[in-house]
Amino acid sequence: MKTKLSQFLRDEWLQLLLLVLPALAAFAAMPFATDRVPMQWGIDGRVNWTAPKEWGLTIMPLTTFLIFGLVFWLESRDPARHRDPDGSLTSHGKATRSIRLGISAMLGAVTLIQIAAALGRHPDVSRLVPTLVAVLIAFLGNFFGKLKPNRYVGIRVPWTMNSENVWRITHRISGWLYTASSLVFLVGIWLLPSRAQQPLFVAWIVVLVVVPMFIAWRAAAAEKAASAAAK
């Protein structure tokens, strides 16, 4: 038992910091926060709704803990995550862990933005939150090429789930696409006027969702045609 716990602490110390530090910051800020804290902002940066600070400041840390728990549980059931017989992480396992860490880091940063707003500061949420999301997606794109077929992370559509070759092609190309399009979106957030941010965001989402599906469909069609020609 001690050996497993020690190994967990050695492997996941950064993850634990990303969970604990934002939670501690939220609880430390609670006595000094306004009675109601922002919970959600519109794309223009205006607060859409607020909540009492007693539970409003606990939602983001709790959400981060829950997401970590779910993803970590799914990772533990992933047979492609470890090598046999030594149990070390495969490149796929390292990629899924890095993706999990990136998500926790982004959620922790959003927690700090909420804390700043609760303390009477006025962070530029309309730019800061999209920036964090863009940085996260660009970061994730770097690991797509290392992912093996699984049921909890990646582009999981019928074409990729039915063929490891289609999965590999789709994620190799989409990884570059995710990183490049996110960097373009990131530059646009800070250089373009506010009125252009919403159409820019919609275009970016279309690129992230529709284009990878098209890539997967084309790769699956090509694979099917090659299989038919070989018969």
Side-chain angles (χ1 to χ4, degrees), residues 12 15 41-42 45 55 57 62-63 74 86 118 129 155 160 178 193:
E12 301 295 342
Q15 174 68 79
W41 290 265
W55 67 271
L57 284 174
L62 180 60
T63 300
L74 291 169
D86 62 351
V129 172
I155 301 167
T160 57
Y178 269 47

Side-chain angles (χ1 to χ4, degrees), residues 16-36:
L16 296 176
L17 284 178
L18 291 172
L19 293 173
V20 171
L21 292 181
L24 291 177
F27 284 110
M30 199 171 295
F32 311 100
T34 54
D35 290 336
R36 298 187 68 84

Side-chain angles (χ1 to χ4, degrees), residues 23 89 206:
L89 287 177
V206 169

Side-chain angles (χ1 to χ4, degrees), residues 201-223:
F201 178 75
V202 171
W204 181 50
I205 294 301
V206 169
V207 169
L208 295 180
V209 175
V210 176
V211 176
M213 292 182 65
F214 177 75
I215 294 169
W217 172 76
R218 285 297 303 271
E223 183 178 72

Side-chain angles (χ1 to χ4, degrees), residues 140-210:
L140 301 187
N142 286 282
F143 299 98
F144 267 28
K146 298 178 181 179
L147 293 176
K148 298 294 184 182
N150 66 86
R151 297 194 175 273
Y152 62 98
V153 63
I155 301 167
R156 294 171 293 114
V157 294
W159 301 299
T160 57
M161 298 305 294
N162 291 333
S163 168
E164 187 168 353
N165 181 58
V166 173
W167 173 284
R168 184 173 61 254
I169 293 171
T170 302
H171 284 78
R172 186 177 67 248
I173 299 173
S174 297
W176 286 99
L177 178 69
Y178 269 47
T179 299
S181 65
S182 297
L183 294 177
V184 171
F185 176 67
L186 179 61
V187 172
I189 291 171
W190 292 96
L191 295 185
L192 295 177
S194 298
R195 64 179 180 274
Q197 289 187 21
Q198 186 166 0
L200 177 65
F201 178 75
V202 171
W204 181 50
I205 294 301
V206 169
V207 169
L208 295 180
V209 175
V210 176

